Amino acid sequence: MRTAADIAGLGTVSDSLDDETTPLARAAEHVLIARQGAGQRARLPRPARTRVLVVANQKGGVGKTTSTVNVAAALAQFGMRVLVIDLDPQGNASTAMSVEHRRGTPSTYDMLVEGAALNDVIAPCPDVTNLFVVPATIDLAGAEIELVSVVAREQRLQKALAASGRIGTAAQAGEDRFDYVFIDCPPSLGLLTLNALVAGEEMFIPIQAEYYALEGLGQLLGTVEMVRSQLNSRLSISAILITMYDARTRLAAGVADEVREHFGDQVLKTAIPRAVRVSEAPSYGQTVMTYDPGSPGALSYLEAARELADQSITAPEGIN
Ligand code: ADP
Ligand code: MG
């Protein structure tokens, strides 16, 4: 497990850190990244086609929203064009990205229930270039029930994405296409999450490093199997991210080992540390990537984003 201390080049490097760069070089690079700011950051290559990632775990408070907005912001800072779809009526992702989400704001609800076009409900994130959001208003709370009587109710999001003309390869969607779309799911396995699982091809599952971390995951994986066999055969799990990792405790290390035993290489090497700056950022309407770019939390999210992006190079047609 790669911890914040490893990333900062301060601690001992664990066995799993099979990177070719030395910790010192990595640390120096990070200092540079933090100083440079987003503008001059080296750009990552664009994936061959848009990657649509579903951030789901029906447990609340495990770091779905925090991971969505920070990985999304990190990728945008690496030069990617990134869209976050806020699918949680709480609208926490919208808040963290400083995007209006009062009732009446064009939102996910309009797209899913009213059939509004994706391009009409997108708002730019003011702090980060190339980062966009479809905000969630409280209206979305009613969507679980309202969608029940709608035709093709599980496919609403998929159809909206397909109709936007901004998802796909360069040939399909042009230079204006999104490179990454993250769908921040609510903490339940209802129709909203189902819409996300049908619309996406990859799952990004944050797991909190705590005692009951794996409890309930069986239910999520069961839902994924059902979706795969009936609604979306392309769905796969491409990343598991351990969040709120406290390197000082045996418990966190034990949980991380257990998660790795279950999921193997699907677990990102970078774990996100429990860090006050990460939890403070949303109250300033920011991601930690702009709120405190040099902090361990921000550097960890930067690494996690880079790991995720590396998958695009090894498996451009989606990960199985
Ligand atoms: P979810 O979307 O799964 O419900 P959140 O991302 O909203 O979870 O996180 C739940 C709470 O934990 C929030 O208050 C958030 O600020 C806090 N949190 C998330 N990640 C971290 C972290 N790495 N360090 C400290 N606090 C965190
Ligand atoms: Mg959330």
Side-chain angles (χ1 to χ4, degrees), residues 45-236:
R46 300 183 77 174
R49 65 190 175 102
T50 311
R51 293 178 63 183
V52 182
L53 293 116
V54 182
V55 187
N57 183 335
Q58 81 277 22
K59 265 193 175 187
V62 298
K64 286 184 291 296
T65 300
T66 307
S67 301
T68 300
V69 300
N70 287 303
V71 171
L75 286 168
Q77 291 182 336
F78 277 128
M80 301 291 98
R81 298 178 59 79
V82 187
L83 174 67
V84 169
I85 298 176
D86 192 346
L87 208 56
D88 187 339
Q90 306 264 346
N92 293 338
S94 312
T95 302
M97 297 168 89
S98 205
V99 167
E100 183 66 66
H101 60 108
R102 263 181 301 188
R103 234 190 183 139
T105 310
S107 69
T108 319
Y109 177 87
D110 301 301
M111 181 168 68
L112 288 182
V113 181
E114 309 286 359
L118 175 72
N119 292 323
D120 292 337
V121 293
I122 286 180
C125 172
D127 293 328
V128 182
T129 314
N130 285 336
L131 181 57
F132 302 86
V133 194
V134 179
T137 63
I138 193 66
D139 295 314
L140 197 57
E144 287 283 4
I145 293 163
E146 288 172 53
L147 279 174
V148 170
S149 57
V150 167
V151 180
R153 58 194 179 187
E154 304 93 356
Q155 273 123 13
R156 304 287 289 183
L157 184 55
Q158 181 198 38
K159 289 194 170 139
L161 290 183
S164 74
R166 296 176 77 178
I167 311 282
T169 61
Q172 293 162 341
E175 286 309 296
D176 219 22
R177 73 189 183 278
F178 289 112
D179 297 309
Y180 291 86
V181 176
F182 289 89
I183 308 173
D184 184 27
C185 291
S188 65
L189 292 173
L191 263 177
L192 288 171
T193 299
L194 202 54
N195 262 273
L197 294 173
V198 172
E201 285 184 9
E202 302 183 47
M203 289 191 70
F204 181 127
I205 306 177
I207 294 182
Q208 185 181 347
E210 49 133 39
Y211 191 55
Y212 292 114
L214 292 174
E215 198 172 79
L217 267 187
Q219 208 187 346
L220 176 63
L221 298 180
T223 305
V224 171
E225 270 317 308
M226 183 280 284
V227 170
R228 215 182 255 155
S229 65
Q230 295 178 29
L231 295 160
N232 178 11
S233 60
R234 307 183 73 156
L235 187 65
S236 66

Side-chain angles (χ1 to χ4, degrees), residues 231-259:
L231 295 160
N232 178 11
S233 60
R234 307 183 73 156
L235 187 65
S236 66
I237 297 176
S238 54
I240 309 253
L241 177 64
I242 296 180
T243 64
M244 293 180 249
Y245 185 80
D246 187 344
R248 294 165 305 183
T249 67
R250 266 171 196 282
L251 174 65
V255 170
D257 286 346
E258 200 184 351
V259 172

